[in-house]
């Protein structure tokens, strides 16, 4: 998985270590031995839609949960959030400091589910697609943020970005009979280990090349793909990038089983749109994470109340529904269900759009950046953060407070210093309608219209939207409800909205986790924010090995983000993990993939 944040629908994969996240499916399943097969059904709150979680449009927790269970990496995070080696799949080592060189060696046991060995070509494809080094144009996306136009002729565009892999400019050294790859970085990179451990392999190179280039033999296909990158054969790379961008998007089980080839403990065996995805043991898997459960079905249960009912009826064994005080009480009242509460990996926030010709874009005011800034400040100042925390979050966590940092997690050693220095609390407070109204008057803008995107199938998000809409109206804004169940795929196309409400979920402990969210044209920078100062600071952070220096740089980044009215965090998610006592060893970690992190240790009673 990429060093990036993931979109979450519950709150809301490597460009920055953040991810998007937002749970119905087959009927009740006797999660026990059926024909000597052990089966279990669990729940997630958003439907699966892409097997390429490394693309910009597929960068979502719901996709990456499945990919985590079906594909291996050189390392994973354990319950203490320590990066843990996975040597039966791959190892990594730093072989040189100056220049920084990192060698990834694939284990002989690393095999795709169709029997083809995992080789250097798979690592090369992952690097090349993430690096942006081979892109020579920009494709168009549709209203849902999916790639619409195809690369033609010599046009190459991979719909992804990773700040670490972008530092690897030269084609890597291939060795050990095509089982190792040595990357040379153009400059030191603070999160090289996260990159190596968690971005080892993505899609199978032999399948991508087969679909793109028409080469059926796996060895020849992999070599053809490798040659295309090494020689920068843009005609071939154009076809390869088209396949990589779109061929692995799916909402139903594809007829072409090549599209679900995996190298991990499970393979996808069934998928029904908006209902469920079923995973079965991979017979060719030779790693350390052999699961005891033969078949796992993940039901897509989007409503919190439906998750409670599904647990009560034995239709699912695990769920992480949207947290409300009522849901928590209902879950705690269920017999034979274990309920754990914690501070989750996700934080809620409001973003504004800088470059869509809307109310926050200087272009709407003849290029007057100061006027657009005042309008952004007015809108963010109106957000009633304290009311949202008091009325929605505190019933679950009486100690809940407003989150006042975009880059540092509450409770971490540097959080208080970050809040003390970034100016967010004094600038925006908990929501101030009178101050917001004054700022809007100072801008000389009357009744600006803000199209607001959020997940309108999520009860808590509906409540938050109501608070935000009413407060903004009192300050002088007109807020248009653009809520949609397709909010996550709409995010990349910011022509459709002016502000958004969702959550970022961390996927790693990397220092440069938020790079792709704050950087100009970063993969997670959906609002089109651009600051030369912030970009320069992020460049410094990439090579900063001194923790004190890292802290100072992040503080300077946040000061600028606050000054530019970039975004506003609201709260850290309270998380509920409810599991039946029929399933042992279920726990959740404060990183994606939350309760899926140790699926191979799950045991049915």
């Amino acid at each position: 998985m990429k060093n990036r944040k993931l979109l979450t629908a519950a709150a809301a994969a490597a460009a920055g270590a953040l991810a998007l996240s937002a749970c119905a499916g087959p009927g009740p399943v006797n999660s026990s031995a059926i024909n000597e097969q052990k089966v279990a059904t669990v729940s997630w709150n958003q439907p699966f839609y892409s097997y390429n979680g490394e693309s910009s449009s597929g960068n979502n927790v719901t996709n990456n949960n499945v990919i985590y269970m079906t594909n291996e990496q050189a390392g994973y995070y354990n319950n203490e959030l320590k990066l843990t080696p996975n040597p039966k799949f791959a190892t990594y080592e730093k072989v040189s400091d100056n220049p920084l060189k990192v060698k990834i060696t694939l284990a002989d046991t690393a095999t795709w589910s169709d029997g083809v060995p995992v080789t250097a070509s798979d690592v090369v494809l992952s690097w090349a697609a993430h690096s942006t080094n081979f892109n020579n144009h920009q494709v168009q996306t549709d209203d849902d943020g999916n790639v619409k136009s195809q690369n033609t002729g010599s046009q190459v565009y991979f719909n992804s970005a990773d700040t670490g892999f972008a530092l690897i400019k030269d084609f890597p050294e291939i060795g050990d009979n095509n089982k190792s790859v040595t990357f040379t970085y153009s400059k030191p990179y603070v999160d090289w280990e996260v990159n190596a451990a968690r971005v080892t392999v993505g899609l199978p190179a032999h399948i991508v090349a087969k679909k793109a280039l028409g080469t059926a033999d796996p060895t020849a296909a992999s070599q053809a793909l490798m040659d295309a990158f090494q020689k920068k054969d843009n005609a071939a790379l154009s076809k390869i990038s088209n396949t990589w961008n779109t061929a692995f998007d799916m909402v139903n089980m594809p007829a072409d089983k090549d599209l679900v080839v995996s190298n991990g403990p499970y393979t996808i065996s069934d998928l029904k749109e908006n209902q469920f995805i079923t995973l079965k043991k991979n017979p060719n898997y030779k790693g350390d994470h052999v699961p005891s459960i033969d078949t796992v079905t993940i039901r897509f249960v989007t409503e919190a109340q439906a998750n409670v009912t599904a647990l009560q009826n034995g239709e699912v064994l695990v769920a992480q529904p949207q947290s409300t005080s009522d849901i928590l009480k209902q879950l705690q009242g269920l017999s034979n269900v274990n309920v754990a509460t914690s501070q989750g990996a996700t934080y809620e926030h409001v973003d504004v759009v800088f470059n869509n010709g809307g109310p926050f874009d200087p272009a709407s005011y003849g290029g007057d950046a100061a006027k657009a800034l005042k309008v952004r400040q007015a809108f963010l100042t109106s957000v009633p953060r304290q009311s949202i925390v008091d009325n929605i979050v505190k019933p679950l966590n009486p100690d809940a407070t407003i989150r006042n940092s975009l880059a540092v997690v509450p409770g971490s050693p540097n959080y208080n210093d970050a809040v003390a220095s970034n100016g967010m609390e004094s600038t925006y407070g908990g929501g101030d309608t009178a101050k917001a109204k004054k700022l809007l008057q100072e801008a000389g803008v009357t009744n600006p219209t803000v199209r607001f995107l959020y997940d309108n199938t999520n009860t808590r998000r509906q409540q938050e939207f109501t608070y935000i809409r009413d407060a903004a109206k009192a300050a002088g804004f007109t807020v248009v409800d653009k809520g949609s169940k397709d909010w996550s795929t709409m995010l990349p196309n910011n022509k459709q909205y002016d502000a958004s409400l969702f959550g970022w979920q961390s996927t790693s402990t990397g220092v440069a986790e938020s790079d792709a969210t704050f950087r100009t044209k970063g993969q997670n920078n959906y609002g089109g924010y651009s600051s030369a100062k912030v970009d320069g600071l992020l460049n410094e952070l990439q090579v900063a090995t001194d923790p004190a220096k890292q802290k100072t740089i992040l503080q300077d980044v946040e000061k600028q983000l606050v000054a530019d009215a970039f975004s506003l965090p609201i709260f850290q998610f309270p998380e509920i993990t409810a599991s039946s006592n029929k399933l042992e060893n279920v726990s959740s970690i404060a990183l994606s993939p939350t309760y899926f992190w140790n699926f191979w240790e799950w045991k049915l009673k």
Side-chain angles (χ1 to χ4, degrees):
M1 177 181 312
K2 297 193 287 185
N3 175 26
R4 67 176 178 209
K5 284 185 172 65
L6 292 176
L7 285 171
T8 79
L18 296 177
L20 281 174
S21 108
C23 268
V29 175
N30 180 11
S31 297
S32 58
I34 298 178
N35 296 327
E36 300 183 352
Q37 292 285 303
K38 293 181 178 178
V39 302
T41 301
V42 299
S43 167
W44 194 252
N45 54 28
Q46 186 180 6
F48 176 91
Y49 63 89
S50 180
Y51 203 37
N52 185 0
E54 298 176 334
S55 70
S56 293
S57 56
N59 170 32
N60 195 308
V61 169
T62 191
N63 299 323
N64 284 288
N65 288 340
V66 173
I67 294 167
Y68 181 80
M69 299 175 75
T70 55
N71 290 276
E72 294 253 82
Q73 299 165 333
Y76 65 95
Y77 284 101
N78 66 13
N79 59 341
E80 296 179 346
L81 302 188
K82 292 181 179 179
L83 201 51
T84 305
N86 186 18
K88 277 201 174 180
F89 182 72
T91 59
Y92 56 89
E93 60 178 324
K94 182 167 65 173
V95 296
S96 170
D97 281 309
N98 189 20
L100 174 61
K101 288 188 176 184
V102 177
K103 182 178 182 180
I104 295 171
T105 303
L106 295 159
D108 291 337
T109 49
T111 307
W112 293 103
S113 56
D114 59 0
V116 175
V118 179
T119 65
S121 61
D122 300 303
V123 182
V124 167
L125 174 59
S126 182
W127 155 69
H130 289 118
S131 72
T132 72
N133 293 336
F134 296 88
N135 291 359
N136 60 26
H137 90 121
Q138 176 77 46
V139 300
Q140 295 177 344
T141 56
D142 62 20
D143 287 345
D144 291 330
N146 300 308
V147 171
K148 182 172 70 173
S149 64
Q150 292 287 300
N151 301 300
T152 59
S154 61
Q155 295 176 339
V156 181
Y157 178 78
F158 287 93
N159 187 29
S160 187
D162 178 89
T163 53
F165 274 166
L167 298 177
I168 304 168
K169 306 295 185 183
D170 298 330
F171 193 84
E173 176 187 341
I174 309 301
D176 298 299
N177 195 27
N178 209 32
K179 293 292 277 189
S180 73
V181 178
T182 302
F183 291 116
T184 300
Y185 286 75
S186 58
K187 63 180 182 180
Y189 181 55
V190 66
D191 287 334
W192 69 266
E193 186 174 5
V194 174
N195 254 34
R198 308 201 70 204
V199 198
T200 309
V201 172
L203 298 175
H206 67 288
I207 298 297
V208 172
K210 177 182 177 181
K211 305 303 175 189
L213 306 178
T215 307
D217 178 76
T219 302
S222 295
Q223 189 60 52
L225 180 141
M226 192 100 78
D227 291 343
F229 285 112
Q230 189 165 20
K231 298 173 182 178
K232 293 191 174 180
D233 179 352
N234 286 338
L237 292 179
S238 179
K239 299 175 182 177
I240 290 169
S241 58
N242 281 336
T243 300
W244 193 91
N245 287 338
T246 62
F248 295 85
D249 293 341
M250 60 187 75
V251 294
N252 283 297
M253 189 66 186
D256 185 352
K257 298 304 185 289
D258 282 350
L259 299 178
V260 293
V261 167
S262 67
N263 60 49
Y266 287 107
T267 60
I268 299 173
S269 63
D270 198 7
L271 171 62
K272 290 289 194 315
E273 184 174 6
N274 296 324
Q275 296 184 47
F276 65 88
I277 189 167
T278 297
L279 313 178
K280 290 191 175 182
K281 270 189 178 180
N282 175 4
N284 282 321
Y285 177 68
K286 304 177 179 68
D288 278 335
H289 297 155
V290 177
S292 69
I293 299 174
D294 299 286
T295 302
V296 175
T297 292
I298 303 173
R299 288 186 58 187
F300 310 135
V301 187
T302 59
E303 296 180 356
Q305 186 61 56
N307 275 280
V308 176
T309 302
L311 278 164
Q312 185 176 29
N313 295 341
E315 296 170 357
V316 302
L317 297 183
V318 189
Q320 274 187 343
Q322 285 290 291
S323 306
T324 67
S325 57
D326 180 59
I327 292 298
L328 177 59
K329 289 177 182 177
Q330 290 185 58
L331 289 171
Q332 289 173 333
L334 297 181
S335 59
N336 303 318
V337 171
N338 304 306
V339 181
T341 60
S342 63
Q343 182 168 276
T346 302
Y347 74 89
E348 193 84 319
H349 68 287
V350 172
D351 284 355
V352 295
V353 179
F354 286 71
N355 64 346
N356 68 346
F360 307 125
D361 184 351
S364 297
Y365 312 107
D368 191 336
K371 179 173 285 195
L373 173 60
K374 285 274 190 184
V375 179
R376 293 196 300 271
Q377 289 173 330
F379 186 76
L380 295 182
T381 299
S382 77
V383 176
R385 299 195 294 168
Q386 192 64 60
S387 294
I388 290 172
V389 169
D390 288 345
N391 293 292
I392 298 176
V393 186
K394 280 192 175 182
L396 286 161
N397 176 13
D399 298 323
T401 59
I402 293 171
R403 171 166 166 158
N404 275 306
S405 173
L406 288 160
V408 185
V409 178
S412 65
N414 294 332
Y415 179 74
N416 289 337
D417 288 342
V419 172
S421 68
N422 65 23
M424 184 177 292
E425 191 169 22
S426 60
T427 301
Y428 299 114
D432 188 331
T433 301
K435 182 180 177 181
K437 191 172 186 176
K438 182 180 179 182
L439 285 165
L440 197 56
Q441 290 171 345
E442 291 174 358
V445 178
T446 303
N447 196 30
T449 297
V450 178
R451 297 167 298 166
F452 199 87
L453 177 66
Y454 67 102
D455 179 6
N456 63 1
T457 68
N458 182 301
T459 302
R460 186 164 65 198
R461 289 270 163 71
Q462 294 168 354
Q463 295 170 341
E464 290 179 67
F465 170 73
T466 300
Y467 278 105
I468 293 169
R469 179 199 61 201
D470 293 349
K473 181 179 179 180
F477 291 88
T478 295
V479 177
V480 176
D481 187 343
K482 295 292 287 186
S484 173
K485 64 180 179 61
D486 299 317
W487 64 274
S488 63
T489 55
M490 292 171 66
L491 273 172
N493 187 351
N494 66 26
K495 299 294 184 184
Q496 303 178 93
Y497 64 95
D498 305 304
S500 58
L501 171 72
F502 63 97
W504 282 124
Q505 186 174 102
S506 296
T507 66
S508 86
T509 58
V511 172
E513 174 179 278
S514 296
D515 190 299
T517 308
F518 306 150
R519 184 181 292 277
T520 300
K521 295 184 179 181
Q523 179 171 331
N524 297 338
N525 185 353
Y526 297 113
Y529 172 72
S530 180
S531 166
K533 182 176 180 180
V534 169
D535 290 348
L537 289 167
L538 293 174
N539 290 339
E540 291 180 35
L541 184 62
Q542 288 183 344
V543 301
T545 56
D546 179 8
K549 181 66 173 175
Q550 295 168 1
K551 176 180 175 180
T552 299
I553 293 171
L554 278 174
Q555 288 178 352
D556 289 343
V557 166
E558 284 220 75
K559 289 176 187 175
Q560 192 62 46
L561 295 174
V562 171
D564 292 337
F566 164 77
S567 175
L568 189 63
I570 305 177
F571 59 85
Q572 197 73 17
F573 265 57
E575 183 178 88
I576 301 173
T577 304
S579 60
S580 168
N581 61 6
K582 294 179 180 179
L583 188 64
E584 297 180 327
N585 300 329
V586 175
S587 65
S588 186
I589 62 174
L591 292 174
S592 178
T594 62
Y595 80 79
F596 292 97
W597 78 270
N598 67 334
F599 65 87
W600 59 89
E601 294 179 337
W602 294 351
K603 291 183 178 179
L604 285 165
K605 286 187 177 180

